[in-house]
Amino acid sequence: MNSSLLLSAATFIYALASVFYIGSFSFKKQTFARLGFWVIVIGLVANTGGILLRWVESYHMGYGHAPFSNMYESLVFFSWTIAALYVFVELKYKESIIGVFVSPLIFLSIAYASFDPSITSKITPLIPALKSNWLIAHVITCFLGYAGFALAFGFSFMYFIKPKDPGTKSLFAKLPDWDTIDELTYQMIVFGFLFLTIGIITGAVWANSAWGKYWSWDPKETWSLITWFIYAIFLHLRLMRGWYGKDLAIVSIIGFLGVLFTYFGVNFLLSGLHSYG
Amino acid sequence: MKQKDSFADQIWTFFASVKLTVYTLVLLAATSIIGTVILQNGSPEAYIRLYGPGLYNMIQVLDLDKMYQAWWFLLLMVVLCVNIVVCSIDRLSATWKIIFPKSILVNPRRFEKAKNRQQFDSHLPMDRVARHAKQVLAGRAGKVIEKTDDAGLILYAEKGRWSRLGVYVVHASVLMLLAGALIGSALGFKANLRLDEGQTADTVFDSHTRLPIKLPFTVRCNDFQVKFYDTGAPDEFKSSLTILENNQESFTEDILVNHPLRYKGINIFQASYGASTPDEALFEITDSETGTIETHTIKKGGVVSLSAGAGNFIFEGFVPHYDFNGHNLGGAFIGRLDTTNGRNVQIILPTKFPTFDKMRKGRFTVEVKSWDQAYYTGLQVTKDPGVPFVYTGFLLMIIGCWVTFFVSHQSVCIGLEQVGSGSTRVWVAGRANRNVQSTNLTVKKLVKELKGVSGK
């Protein structure tokens, strides 16, 4: 048993969960969604095991570092945070159908890590800049933030497919009511915003101890700030200007595009200090 | 008719609007993109090469080459700050009255429309239900206020009134951060310092202005070490630094990436390193006619005589980049052969190609066998008196966000009314300024406990 095997297993388990959820949506069978939930839980267990095992393996290789040091490891962890947050949300809100919009994201992230040939899954030693206790705090908080926004994105999506007044027979009848969708999206963004804030702050404190500057307008920093601005706009529009529904969902989707660009775009298109994931 | 607002009032209203906040944030977000796309702090040549002279003019006019310090970008930040201050003043007095009321008014009518309102009848007399209700309410929702009205008894409890201040803390933290940044840019500096092993310095040069800055102490690099993993990737850079004051050694400390030295408000960071120029090496000179091989350790500028009195070899120095027919061969030792027949030949000995001189096919072949590789350490020296303000701002922002989003002002009300003899009608309802979910839960639990007591 090694971490790669466990993580590949997690990939396929998440794929199966997506199939169940989508099946539940298409055929209006609640049972499929219940199955999907438990499959996600199993995937989460495999995902957790894979990450922990990889941590142990890095010690056996003599490098000994938390598995948050490159694109592969961050994508695997991204899947983990979305899955963990989703399991929590489904347990709390008892709405299982919303997994349709989240389970594919969980699968896509870990699948991208495994199948893109340019992303290596090799365990590599830490470069000097990453050798810091801030690594774990920074990565965990940032990705919890990203996960909150990913879920919000999935939920916002419902505004664009659910008809205003779905009849009881329609495909969309089982979707949560508008108030619940609104509440879910908002709660996820609030969660994401708090953790993105902490993530940016831990990054700044770390940068100050590594390079002597807490903020240097590096593209990664700037884009995370842009994302933070977008969600700050979201919060002001909702809380102070009374926006809701589709209009607000558009802001949430723009925000998630900001997240994606901060995460991938900056690494692939722009150069900077933050080239490891 | 309402009197027309004075000009000052209009300005106040303008800066007190959340619309302005949203527009400013949109502008900040949108313009911030520019600096990640257009090269920052480059040389004029670089801009002309990348964008052409026409666009470069525009870049210069709008300061897009140092966008985050440009006047219009700073102006946006100032607008945001004024907006925050005016908004806070505008709303704080109302919030203050809510947070610190002269007396808490209990108005059961405010709970009539609450979605979580539940009602049931208990077969216990009212005073017994009231006793239990007070107990469970105090346990779940805080200090209980009692009120008797014409309908019966009203029990009220609330918590988290102060949480309404959270949002002001967040906004104050933004001001604190920007104040810290301002202090840092006015009173701080960032400089680079290159020290060879053994070298000392008490002056650094600002990385933007290139002006010299005198440090309150002298720093010496005793030793620099670099470690690599088996893969060839760098593992650790380490400089041993000694701080000297009044020509006395104060202390010695090792610095690594992520482990800077901080002393007297000055921070010294390990930033980079490089090979310093060697000034001594072991040379091997082969005479192809006689087959004799001689080795000499020669200092820079040193001269040795060749075998059989054929002439001299002079070690002239080391160049970091040797250009050979347009190819950069990297670091190379440079020497000269002075043979007695009057011919001078320049000898090039690139460190990457030890047998390079054989290609010359002369009588004497020179090769560098070994040399002591010394390093220089690249240090970043900074001073930023704004950091304590910025860190306070960070802390306030996290606390403020937590309070704003996850703590709410909740109030719960229980109404008791005598119905018939020995029976009581009970209603429970709760309100919150946000996170109503958790209030709903409190109401549910209260109802469950009250019903439990009533033996239902």
Side-chain angles (χ1 to χ4, degrees):
Chain A
M1 181 70 92
N2 63 30
S3 66
S4 312
L5 200 69
L6 216 47
L7 291 171
S8 312
T11 313
F12 288 103
I13 297 170
Y14 285 143
L16 185 66
S18 306
V19 170
F20 276 131
Y21 272 114
I22 294 168
S24 155
F25 182 69
S26 313
F27 304 118
K28 290 197 278 174
K29 287 267 191 294
Q30 190 69 22
T31 334
F32 281 177
R34 297 308 303 157
L35 269 173
F37 176 75
W38 289 110
V39 174
I40 282 197
V41 171
I42 295 168
L44 187 61
V45 171
N47 198 344
T48 313
I51 290 172
L52 292 177
L53 205 56
R54 198 177 160 91
W55 202 333
V56 172
E57 282 165 14
S58 86
Y59 274 92
H60 288 313
M61 293 177 75
Y63 304 141
H65 61 77
F68 305 135
S69 70
N70 58 28
M71 200 50 151
Y72 175 83
E73 291 171 344
S74 79
L75 281 165
V76 166
F77 186 61
F78 190 31
S79 273
W80 187 90
T81 50
I82 308 176
L85 188 60
Y86 177 71
V87 167
F88 175 77
V89 168
E90 185 171 332
L91 286 176
K92 190 170 172 206
Y93 287 85
K94 312 261 184 287
E95 295 276 1
S96 57
I97 198 69
I98 51 180
V100 180
F101 308 97
V102 179
S103 51
L105 294 175
I106 303 174
F107 165 67
L108 280 177
S109 172
I110 197 166
Y112 180 41
S114 314
F115 298 127
D116 187 316
S118 69
I119 295 174
T120 169
S121 66
K122 251 176 64 184
I123 297 180
T124 50
L126 274 189
I127 60 168
L130 290 184
K131 284 186 185 168
S132 167
N133 293 330
W134 288 104
L135 173 68
I136 295 176
H138 177 61
V139 172
I140 289 180
T141 49
C142 282
F143 278 90
L144 281 175
Y146 287 1
F149 296 141
L151 259 65
F153 167 75
F155 299 153
S156 302
F157 213 72
M158 283 188 262
Y159 284 103
F160 297 91
I161 60 158
K162 188 181 168 183
K164 262 240 138 44
D165 186 25
T168 43
K169 291 239 167 64
S170 127
L171 185 60
F172 308 105
K174 283 271 191 291
L175 288 181
D177 59 69
W178 291 114
D179 281 351
T180 309
I181 300 175
D182 187 66
E183 173 70 10
L184 275 171
T185 312
Y186 171 69
Q187 287 298 337
M188 288 306 106
I189 283 180
V190 160
F191 176 88
F193 190 75
L194 177 70
F195 278 99
L196 178 67
T197 306
I198 303 177
I200 293 175
I201 288 173
T202 49
V205 174
W206 183 6
N208 192 36
S209 75
W211 299 305
K213 205 103 186 77
Y214 54 83
W215 194 263
S216 42
W217 295 105
D218 173 77
K220 196 79 162 188
E221 288 174 347
T222 310
W223 271 97
S224 67
L225 184 67
I226 292 168
T227 307
W228 192 86
F229 281 145
I230 299 173
Y231 286 109
I233 293 167
F234 177 99
L235 292 170
H236 282 91
L237 287 175
R238 188 181 193 278
L239 297 171
M240 303 301 297
R241 303 284 307 169
W243 279 38
Y244 65 95
K246 223 175 205 176
D247 296 338
L248 205 54
I250 291 172
V251 183
S252 155
I253 287 169
I254 294 173
F256 191 62
L257 293 179
V259 170
L260 290 180
F261 197 85
T262 309
Y263 189 7
F264 303 107
V266 170
N267 288 40
F268 297 141
L269 301 175
L270 309 170
S271 63
L273 297 165
H274 206 288
S275 55
Y276 18 74
Chain B
M1 216 181 103
K2 196 177 165 252
Q3 209 185 340
K4 207 165 177 249
D5 286 350
S6 73
F7 183 63
D9 282 344
Q10 283 181 16
I11 299 233
W12 183 265
T13 320
F14 174 75
F15 279 110
S17 82
V18 178
K19 229 180 200 168
L20 177 69
T21 319
V22 171
Y23 280 118
T24 314
L25 287 175
V26 168
L27 279 174
L28 277 170
T31 54
S32 292
I33 299 175
I34 299 173
T36 66
V37 181
I38 291 178
L39 175 75
Q40 295 292 296
N41 299 314
S43 64
E45 298 78 37
Y47 286 103
I48 290 171
R49 184 161 41 80
L50 281 168
Y51 311 108
L55 278 178
Y56 179 51
N57 270 341
M58 203 182 89
I59 288 173
Q60 268 188 314
V61 169
L62 294 174
D63 286 338
L64 296 182
D65 52 343
K66 38 188 188 306
M67 203 215 92
Y68 303 108
Q69 288 86 42
W71 63 268
W72 54 267
F73 192 74
L74 297 180
L75 184 71
L76 280 177
M77 299 232 203
V78 170
V79 169
L80 189 69
C81 287
V82 175
N83 190 206
I84 287 174
V85 172
V86 174
C87 270
S88 300
I89 296 172
D90 208 53
R91 290 164 173 74
L92 190 58
S93 66
T95 312
W96 202 257
K97 277 180 198 145
I98 297 178
I99 297 173
F100 303 105
K102 289 205 182 76
S103 64
I104 294 172
L105 286 176
V106 181
N107 182 4
R109 238 164 257 126
R110 289 174 62 228
F111 293 90
E112 271 166 13
K113 293 252 165 65
K115 274 188 188 161
N116 53 30
R117 187 180 166 113
Q118 291 194 41
Q119 190 169 325
F120 63 94
D121 286 343
S122 162
H123 55 71
L124 292 174
M126 195 168 115
D127 54 334
R128 278 197 59 190
V129 182
R131 211 167 48 233
H132 289 298
K134 266 185 250 175
Q135 228 166 27
V136 290
L137 188 60
R140 292 235 170 255
K143 198 169 153 260
V144 179
I145 299 173
E146 273 183 74
K147 189 183 165 190
T148 333
D149 67 357
D150 44 333
L153 182 69
I154 298 293
L155 300 174
Y156 173 90
E158 60 160 44
K159 61 181 176 185
R161 217 167 246 272
W162 56 274
S163 70
R164 290 173 186 265
L165 272 181
V167 69
Y168 296 93
V169 174
V170 176
H171 288 147
S173 79
V174 174
L175 299 180
M176 188 69 122
L177 288 177
L178 292 173
L182 198 67
I183 293 170
S185 64
L187 304 173
F189 66 80
K190 184 179 136 195
N192 299 313
L193 177 62
R194 190 184 141 158
L195 281 181
D196 285 334
E197 287 171 308
Q199 200 184 350
T200 61
D202 64 353
T203 308
V204 293
F205 293 87
D206 191 285
S207 29
H208 292 300
T209 61
R210 308 269 160 224
L211 292 171
I213 299 162
K214 187 105 168 51
L215 299 178
F217 49 77
T218 304
V219 54
R220 183 178 72 212
C221 172
N222 306 311
D223 182 36
F224 175 81
Q225 279 170 11
V226 53
K227 271 203 307 208
F228 295 94
Y229 293 108
D230 307 335
T231 59
D235 173 356
E236 183 182 287
F237 314 138
K238 185 160 81 180
S239 301
S240 158
L241 300 183
T242 295
I243 300 298
L244 302 112
E245 288 170 294
N246 309 318
N247 294 321
Q248 295 280 310
E249 290 191 8
S250 286
F251 63 94
T252 298
E253 200 173 304
D254 287 345
I255 66 163
L256 296 95
V257 182
N258 278 314
H259 295 279
L261 183 158
R262 301 185 195 273
Y263 186 56
K264 291 197 166 171
I266 307 279
N267 311 300
I268 304 180
F269 296 86
Q270 181 69 59
S272 63
Y273 74 98
S276 55
T277 316
D279 57 358
E280 189 179 86
L282 182 70
F283 292 88
E284 180 186 89
I285 301 170
T286 310
D287 183 346
S288 58
E289 278 182 16
T290 62
T292 48
I293 298 173
E294 290 179 352
T295 55
H296 302 278
T297 300
I298 315 175
K299 268 199 170 314
K300 185 178 159 189
V303 181
V304 290
S305 29
L306 301 172
S307 61
N312 295 321
F313 172 73
I314 302 126
F315 169 34
E316 295 187 312
F318 183 87
V319 290
H321 303 286
Y322 182 74
D323 184 79
F324 181 74
N325 297 338
H327 296 283
N328 180 4
L329 297 186
F333 291 88
I334 309 288
R336 199 174 76 234
L337 269 180
D338 276 348
T339 42
T340 35
N341 55 19
R343 282 188 39 220
N344 278 356
V345 193
Q346 194 184 37
I347 306 290
I348 311 300
L349 304 162
T351 53
K352 280 191 224 157
F353 309 101
T355 56
F356 191 75
D357 193 45
K358 278 192 183 143
M359 286 194 336
R360 194 172 44 83
K361 294 196 175 9
R363 176 182 164 189
F364 292 96
T365 311
V366 187
E367 198 178 318
V368 177
K369 297 308 277 185
S370 69
W371 67 95
D372 267 343
Q373 182 58 65
Y375 287 98
Y376 70 83
T377 178
L379 304 173
Q380 182 144 299
V381 184
T382 68
K383 180 182 161 187
D384 191 344
V387 165
F389 294 88
V390 173
Y391 280 20
T392 311
F394 284 165
L395 214 60
L396 287 178
M397 177 162 286
I398 295 173
I399 296 169
C401 278
W402 172 264
V403 171
T404 305
F405 297 124
F406 295 98
V407 184
S408 59
H409 179 193
Q410 298 187 8
S411 47
V412 184
C413 205
I414 301 179
L416 303 171
E417 192 188 342
Q418 187 91 39
V419 279
S421 57
S423 227
T424 313
R425 175 158 297 160
V426 184
W427 62 262
V428 183
R431 284 166 55 95
N433 63 334
R434 65 178 88 85
N435 197 6
V436 184
Q437 286 273 359
S438 93
T439 313
N440 295 348
L441 206 65
T442 310
V443 169
K444 261 187 210 164
K445 283 178 184 161
L446 281 171
V447 168
K448 205 177 152 201
E449 283 176 78
L450 285 173
K451 282 185 177 168
V453 167
S454 312
K456 273 205 172 180

